[in-house]
Coordinates of all heavy atoms in Angstrom, one line a residue:
Chain R
L90 N 121.0 -55.1 92.5 CA 119.7 -55.7 92.0 C 119.8 -57.2 91.7 O 118.9 -58.0 92.0 CB 119.3 -55.0 90.6 CG 118.7 -53.6 90.7 CD1 118.5 -53.0 89.4 CD2 117.4 -53.7 91.5
S91 N 121.0 -57.6 91.2 CA 121.2 -59.0 90.9 C 121.2 -59.8 92.2 O 120.7 -60.9 92.3 CB 122.5 -59.2 90.1 OG 123.2 -60.3 90.5
L92 N 121.9 -59.3 93.2 CA 122.0 -60.0 94.5 C 120.6 -60.1 95.1 O 120.2 -61.2 95.6 CB 122.9 -59.2 95.5 CG 124.4 -59.4 95.4 CD1 125.1 -58.4 96.3 CD2 124.7 -60.8 95.8
D93 N 119.9 -59.0 95.2 CA 118.5 -59.0 95.7 C 117.6 -60.0 95.0 O 116.9 -60.8 95.7 CB 117.9 -57.6 95.7 CG 118.4 -56.7 96.7 OD1 119.2 -57.2 97.5 OD2 118.1 -55.5 96.7
A94 N 117.6 -59.9 93.7 CA 116.8 -60.8 92.9 C 117.1 -62.2 93.1 O 116.3 -63.1 93.2 CB 116.8 -60.4 91.5
S95 N 118.4 -62.5 93.2 CA 118.9 -63.9 93.4 C 118.4 -64.5 94.7 O 118.0 -65.6 94.8 CB 120.4 -64.0 93.2 OG 120.8 -63.7 91.9
A96 N 118.6 -63.6 95.7 CA 118.2 -64.0 97.1 C 116.7 -64.3 97.1 O 116.2 -65.4 97.6 CB 118.5 -63.0 98.1
R97 N 115.9 -63.4 96.5 CA 114.5 -63.6 96.4 C 114.1 -64.9 95.6 O 113.2 -65.6 96.0 CB 113.8 -62.4 95.8 CG 112.3 -62.6 95.5 CD 111.6 -63.0 96.8 NE 111.0 -61.8 97.4 CZ 109.8 -61.4 97.1 NH1 109.0 -62.0 96.3 NH2 109.4 -60.3 97.7
L98 N 114.8 -65.0 94.5 CA 114.5 -66.2 93.7 C 114.7 -67.5 94.5 O 113.8 -68.4 94.5 CB 115.5 -66.2 92.5 CG 115.5 -67.5 91.6 CD1 114.2 -67.6 90.8 CD2 116.7 -67.5 90.7
N99 N 115.8 -67.6 95.3 CA 116.0 -68.8 96.0 C 115.0 -69.0 97.1 O 114.5 -70.1 97.3 CB 117.4 -68.8 96.6 CG 118.5 -68.9 95.6 OD1 118.2 -69.7 94.6 ND2 119.6 -68.3 95.7
S100 N 114.6 -67.9 97.8 CA 113.6 -68.2 98.9 C 112.3 -68.5 98.3 O 111.5 -69.3 98.8 CB 113.6 -67.0 99.9 OG 113.2 -65.9 99.3
A101 N 111.9 -67.8 97.2 CA 110.6 -68.0 96.6 C 110.5 -69.5 96.1 O 109.5 -70.2 96.3 CB 110.3 -67.0 95.5
Y102 N 111.6 -69.9 95.5 CA 111.6 -71.3 94.9 C 111.5 -72.3 96.0 O 110.7 -73.3 95.9 CB 112.8 -71.5 94.0 CG 112.9 -72.9 93.4 CD1 112.0 -73.3 92.5 CD2 113.9 -73.7 93.8 CE1 112.0 -74.6 92.0 CE2 114.0 -75.0 93.3 CZ 113.1 -75.4 92.4 OH 113.1 -76.7 91.9
K103 N 112.3 -72.1 97.0 CA 112.4 -73.1 98.1 C 111.0 -73.2 98.8 O 110.5 -74.3 99.1 CB 113.4 -72.5 99.2 CG 113.9 -73.6 100.1 CD 115.0 -73.1 100.9 CE 115.1 -73.7 102.3 NZ 114.8 -72.9 103.4
T104 N 110.3 -72.1 98.9 CA 109.0 -72.1 99.6 C 107.9 -72.7 98.7 O 107.1 -73.5 99.1 CB 108.5 -70.6 99.9 OG1 109.5 -70.0 100.6 CG2 107.2 -70.6 100.6
L105 N 108.0 -72.4 97.4 CA 106.9 -72.9 96.5 C 107.0 -74.3 96.0 O 106.0 -74.9 95.6 CB 106.7 -71.9 95.3 CG 106.3 -70.5 95.6 CD1 105.9 -69.7 94.4 CD2 105.1 -70.4 96.6
K106 N 108.2 -74.8 96.0 CA 108.4 -76.1 95.4 C 107.9 -77.2 96.3 O 107.4 -78.2 95.8 CB 109.9 -76.4 95.0 CG 110.8 -76.7 96.2 CD 112.1 -77.1 95.7 CE 113.0 -77.3 96.9 NZ 114.4 -77.7 96.6
D107 N 107.8 -76.9 97.6 CA 107.4 -77.9 98.5 C 105.9 -77.7 98.8 O 105.5 -76.6 99.2 CB 108.2 -77.8 99.8 CG 107.6 -78.8 100.9 OD1 107.8 -80.0 100.7 OD2 107.0 -78.3 101.9
P108 N 105.0 -78.7 98.6 CA 103.6 -78.5 98.7 C 103.1 -78.0 100.1 O 102.3 -77.2 100.2 CB 103.0 -79.9 98.4 CG 104.1 -80.7 97.8 CD 105.4 -80.1 98.2
I109 N 103.8 -78.5 101.1 CA 103.4 -78.1 102.5 C 103.8 -76.7 102.7 O 103.0 -75.9 103.2 CB 104.0 -79.1 103.5 CG1 103.6 -80.5 103.3 CG2 103.5 -78.6 104.9 CD1 102.2 -80.9 103.6
Q110 N 105.1 -76.4 102.4 CA 105.5 -75.0 102.6 C 104.7 -74.0 101.8 O 104.5 -72.9 102.2 CB 107.0 -74.9 102.3 CG 107.9 -75.4 103.4 CD 109.3 -74.9 103.1 OE1 109.6 -73.7 103.0 NE2 110.3 -75.9 103.0
R111 N 104.4 -74.5 100.6 CA 103.6 -73.6 99.7 C 102.2 -73.4 100.3 O 101.7 -72.2 100.3 CB 103.4 -74.3 98.3 CG 102.6 -73.5 97.3 CD 102.8 -74.1 95.9 NE 102.2 -75.4 95.7 CZ 102.8 -76.5 95.3 NH1 104.1 -76.5 95.1 NH2 102.1 -77.6 95.1
A112 N 101.6 -74.4 100.8 CA 100.3 -74.3 101.5 C 100.3 -73.3 102.7 O 99.5 -72.4 102.8 CB 99.7 -75.6 101.9
V113 N 101.4 -73.5 103.5 CA 101.5 -72.6 104.7 C 101.7 -71.2 104.2 O 101.0 -70.2 104.7 CB 102.8 -73.0 105.5 CG1 103.0 -72.0 106.6 CG2 102.5 -74.4 106.2
Y114 N 102.5 -71.0 103.2 CA 102.8 -69.6 102.7 C 101.5 -69.0 102.2 O 101.2 -67.8 102.5 CB 103.9 -69.7 101.6 CG 104.2 -68.3 101.0 CD1 105.0 -67.4 101.7 CD2 103.7 -68.0 99.8 CE1 105.3 -66.2 101.2 CE2 104.0 -66.8 99.2 CZ 104.8 -65.9 99.9 OH 105.1 -64.6 99.4
L115 N 100.8 -69.8 101.4 CA 99.6 -69.2 100.7 C 98.5 -68.9 101.8 O 97.9 -67.8 101.7 CB 99.1 -70.2 99.7 CG 97.9 -69.9 98.8 CD1 98.1 -68.5 98.2 CD2 97.7 -70.9 97.7
V116 N 98.3 -69.8 102.7 CA 97.3 -69.6 103.7 C 97.7 -68.3 104.6 O 96.8 -67.5 104.9 CB 97.1 -70.8 104.6 CG1 96.4 -70.5 105.9 CG2 96.4 -71.9 103.8
E117 N 99.0 -68.2 104.9 CA 99.4 -67.0 105.7 C 99.3 -65.7 104.9 O 99.0 -64.7 105.5 CB 100.8 -67.3 106.2 CG 100.9 -68.4 107.2 CD 102.2 -68.4 108.0 OE1 103.3 -68.0 107.5 OE2 102.2 -68.9 109.2
L118 N 99.6 -65.8 103.6 CA 99.4 -64.7 102.7 C 98.0 -64.2 102.8 O 97.7 -63.0 102.8 CB 99.8 -65.1 101.3 CG 100.3 -64.1 100.3 CD1 101.5 -63.4 100.8 CD2 100.6 -64.9 99.0
E119 N 97.1 -65.2 102.8 CA 95.6 -64.9 102.7 C 95.0 -64.5 104.0 O 94.1 -63.7 104.1 CB 95.0 -66.2 102.1 CG 93.8 -66.0 101.3 CD 94.0 -65.1 100.1 OE1 94.8 -65.5 99.3 OE2 93.3 -64.2 100.0
S120 N 95.5 -65.1 105.1 CA 94.8 -64.9 106.4 C 95.7 -64.7 107.6 O 95.2 -64.9 108.7 CB 93.9 -66.2 106.5 OG 94.7 -67.3 106.6
G121 N 96.9 -64.4 107.4 CA 97.7 -64.1 108.6 C 98.5 -65.3 109.1 O 98.2 -66.4 108.8
K122 N 99.5 -65.0 110.0 CA 100.4 -66.0 110.5 C 99.7 -67.2 111.2 O 98.7 -66.9 112.0 CB 101.4 -65.4 111.4 CG 102.5 -64.6 110.7 CD 103.5 -65.5 110.2 CE 104.6 -64.7 109.4 NZ 105.4 -65.7 108.6
L123 N 100.1 -68.4 111.0 CA 99.5 -69.5 111.6 C 99.7 -69.5 113.1 O 98.9 -70.0 113.9 CB 100.1 -70.8 111.1 CG 99.7 -71.3 109.7 CD1 100.4 -72.5 109.4 CD2 98.2 -71.6 109.7
E124 N 100.8 -68.8 113.6 CA 101.0 -68.8 115.0 C 99.9 -68.0 115.7 O 99.7 -68.1 116.9 CB 102.3 -68.1 115.3 CG 103.5 -68.9 115.0 CD 104.5 -68.2 114.1 OE1 104.9 -67.1 114.5 OE2 104.9 -68.7 113.1
E125 N 99.2 -67.2 115.0 CA 98.1 -66.4 115.6 C 96.8 -67.2 115.6 O 95.7 -66.6 115.9 CB 97.9 -65.1 114.9 CG 99.1 -64.1 115.2 CD 99.4 -63.2 114.1 OE1 98.5 -62.9 113.3 OE2 100.5 -62.7 114.0
N126 N 96.9 -68.5 115.3 CA 95.6 -69.3 115.3 C 95.0 -69.2 116.7 O 95.6 -69.2 117.7 CB 96.0 -70.8 115.1 CG 95.9 -71.2 113.7 OD1 95.6 -70.4 112.8 ND2 96.1 -72.5 113.4
D127 N 93.7 -69.0 116.6 CA 92.9 -69.0 117.9 C 92.7 -70.4 118.4 O 92.6 -70.6 119.6 CB 91.6 -68.3 117.7 CG 91.8 -66.8 117.5 OD1 92.8 -66.3 118.0 OD2 91.0 -66.2 116.7
S128 N 92.6 -71.3 117.5 CA 92.3 -72.7 118.0 C 93.6 -73.4 118.5 O 94.6 -73.2 117.9 CB 91.7 -73.5 116.9 OG 92.6 -73.7 115.9
R129 N 93.4 -74.1 119.6 CA 94.5 -74.9 120.1 C 94.5 -76.3 119.5 O 93.4 -76.7 119.2 CB 94.5 -74.9 121.6 CG 94.7 -73.6 122.2 CD 94.1 -73.6 123.6 NE 94.9 -72.6 124.4 CZ 95.9 -72.9 125.1 NH1 96.4 -74.1 125.2 NH2 96.5 -72.0 125.8
P130 N 95.6 -77.0 119.5 CA 95.5 -78.4 119.1 C 94.7 -79.1 120.2 O 94.6 -78.7 121.3 CB 97.0 -78.8 119.1 CG 97.7 -77.9 120.0 CD 96.9 -76.6 119.9
P131 N 94.0 -80.2 119.7 CA 93.2 -81.0 120.7 C 94.1 -81.5 121.8 O 95.2 -81.9 121.6 CB 92.7 -82.1 119.9 CG 93.0 -81.8 118.4 CD 94.0 -80.8 118.4
V132 N 93.6 -81.4 123.1 CA 94.3 -81.8 124.2 C 94.7 -83.3 124.1 O 95.8 -83.7 124.5 CB 93.6 -81.6 125.5 CG1 94.3 -82.2 126.7 CG2 93.4 -80.1 125.7
D133 N 93.8 -84.1 123.5 CA 94.1 -85.5 123.3 C 95.3 -85.7 122.5 O 96.2 -86.6 122.9 CB 92.9 -86.2 122.5 CG 91.7 -86.2 123.4 OD1 91.7 -85.8 124.5 OD2 90.6 -86.7 122.8
L134 N 95.5 -84.9 121.5 CA 96.7 -85.1 120.6 C 97.9 -84.7 121.4 O 98.9 -85.4 121.4 CB 96.5 -84.2 119.4 CG 97.8 -84.2 118.5 CD1 98.0 -85.5 117.9 CD2 97.7 -83.1 117.4
L135 N 97.8 -83.6 122.2 CA 99.0 -83.2 123.0 C 99.4 -84.3 124.0 O 100.6 -84.5 124.2 CB 98.7 -81.9 123.7 CG 98.7 -80.6 122.8 CD1 98.4 -79.4 123.6 CD2 100.0 -80.4 122.0
E136 N 98.4 -84.9 124.6 CA 98.7 -85.9 125.6 C 99.3 -87.1 124.9 O 100.3 -87.7 125.4 CB 97.4 -86.3 126.3 CG 97.0 -85.4 127.4 CD 95.7 -85.7 128.1 OE1 95.1 -86.7 127.8 OE2 95.4 -84.9 129.0
E137 N 98.8 -87.5 123.7 CA 99.3 -88.6 123.0 C 100.8 -88.3 122.7 O 101.7 -89.2 122.8 CB 98.6 -88.7 121.7 CG 98.3 -90.0 121.1 CD 97.4 -89.9 119.9 OE1 96.3 -89.3 120.0 OE2 97.9 -90.3 118.8
I138 N 101.1 -87.1 122.2 CA 102.4 -86.7 121.9 C 103.3 -86.7 123.1 O 104.5 -87.3 123.1 CB 102.5 -85.3 121.2 CG1 101.8 -85.3 119.9 CG2 103.9 -84.7 121.2 CD1 101.6 -84.0 119.2
F139 N 102.8 -86.2 124.2 CA 103.5 -86.2 125.4 C 103.9 -87.6 125.9 O 105.1 -87.8 126.2 CB 102.7 -85.5 126.5 CG 103.6 -84.9 127.6 CD1 104.1 -83.7 127.5 CD2 103.8 -85.7 128.7 CE1 104.9 -83.2 128.5 CE2 104.6 -85.2 129.7 CZ 105.2 -84.0 129.6
E140 N 103.0 -88.5 125.8 CA 103.3 -89.9 126.2 C 104.3 -90.5 125.3 O 105.2 -91.2 125.8 CB 102.0 -90.7 126.2 CG 101.2 -90.6 127.5 CD 99.8 -91.1 127.4 OE1 99.5 -92.0 126.5 OE2 98.9 -90.6 128.1

Side-chain angles (χ1 to χ4, degrees):
Chain R
L90 283 176
S91 138
L92 275 173
D93 284 353
S95 295
R97 169 59 94 90
L98 172 70
N99 288 327
S100 66
Y102 178 64
K103 199 169 151 248
T104 305
L105 295 189
K106 73 172 177 181
D107 176 69
I109 304 284
Q110 281 196 55
R111 180 165 71 235
V113 171
Y114 179 76
L115 186 47
V116 166
E117 293 194 329
L118 205 56
E119 209 59 57
S120 60
K122 286 278 176 197
L123 285 176
E124 287 128 54
E125 287 150 25
N126 266 5
D127 289 329
S128 65
R129 291 160 154 267
V132 174
D133 292 358
L134 175 66
L135 288 181
E136 277 176 4
E137 216 178 301
I138 290 172
F139 201 87
E140 276 166 25

